[in-house]
Amino acid sequence: MTVTELSQQRIPRHIAVIMDGNGRWAKSRGMPRTDGHRRGIDALKRTVEAAGDLGVEYLTLFGFSSENWKRPSGEVDDLMWLLRRFLQSETARMHENNVRIRVIGDRSSFSKDIVALIENSEQMTAGNDRLHLTAALSYGGRQEIVTAVRALAEDVAASKLTPKAIDEAAFEGYLATADIPDPDLLIRTSGEQRISNFLLWQIAYTELVFSDVLWPDFDRGHLESAIQEYNGRERRFGAVAG
Ligand code: IPE
Ligand code: IPE
Ligand code: MG
């Protein structure tokens, strides 16, 4: 896309991405799956940079699902190693670029040192506002909803909230994404057309774009194409077209 064509596009305020296809990328090259994950991190860095340049305000990336713990322990260990290295080496750069980092998901499943690195990245970048980067790690949409329901039930039991006061807005306040707007655009790479337990509540009216590209190959051009496809959609939110 040319710069002029791009400037005519509406940029989604919030883009969510299911970064899929690392394993198949590696397999097709006769490489171990870890090499696909490693190259997937390069694609992630490219995407963060491109989204920031385009003026996207919120980028939410699915990096590891609550179900991904079921993978062989060698692969899980490699992913944890890559996560550690990413948090150690990229936090300062993200901070320089005014990126705020947040992690959603069940962090109790991570080792203590990873939890400390996550807390450090969140604290260091807490005041940044150019791009809100949310990493969904050990994240599952159903788990997030159940956790929210439990917290809400505790507040009701403690008489801090009456059942009558529970509406959509009140419930959203208990989700991990409480102060993040719903995604406008969700991209899933690798040709799979499913949600795999990503942001179940939040994507009620999100536009879905499925791309055949394997995540390690994803670049600025693919992001721009997805935005172009988004621009061709008519968002009606249940109403009649204007
Ligand atoms: C996505 O790539 C990354 C993670 C889920 C951690 P996959 O590892 O799922 O790659 P495929 O789907 O096997 O190709
Ligand atoms: C979803 O991909 C999770 C991430 C991309 C982090 P999976 O590869 O785990 O999903 P399924 O198993 O194909 O549904
Ligand atoms: Mg996959």
Side-chain angles (χ1 to χ4, degrees), residues 15-48:
I15 299 180
V17 187
I18 302 177
M19 310 183 288
D20 198 14
N22 294 349
R24 278 162 283 169
W25 184 93
K27 194 176 174 208
S28 71
R29 285 164 178 78
M31 293 154 81
R33 290 178 63 85
T34 304
D35 287 6
H37 296 314
R38 205 181 296 266
R39 295 292 287 265
I41 289 182
D42 296 337
L44 184 156
K45 290 186 209 163
R46 284 197 293 275
T47 305
V48 171

Side-chain angles (χ1 to χ4, degrees), residues 158-193:
S159 303
K160 288 186 198 157
L161 185 74
T162 62
K164 265 197 182 147
I166 302 170
D167 57 13
E168 290 183 15
F171 177 70
E172 271 171 2
Y174 288 87
L175 293 172
T177 53
D179 56 347
I180 299 175
D182 289 343
D184 301 292
L185 166 63
L186 168 69
I187 303 168
R188 182 170 189 151
T189 58
S190 88
E192 308 296 355
Q193 303 197 354

Side-chain angles (χ1 to χ4, degrees), residues 1 13 24 76 82 91 94 96 147 152 173 180 202 207 226:
M1 219 182 312
R13 184 171 184 217
R24 278 162 283 169
V76 171
L82 288 170
T91 299
M94 299 267 176
E96 277 167 30
T147 304
L152 187 144
I180 299 175
Q202 297 86 344
E207 295 297 333

Side-chain angles (χ1 to χ4, degrees), residues 1 16 19 34 36 40 46 48 51 78-79 87 97 102 110 115 121 172 183 202 205 236:
M1 219 182 312
M19 310 183 288
T34 304
R46 284 197 293 275
V48 171
D78 288 345
L79 284 165
L87 291 167
N97 288 314
R102 272 187 281 193
F110 291 117
V115 175
S121 299
E172 271 171 2
Q202 297 86 344
Y205 272 102
R236 287 194 290 275

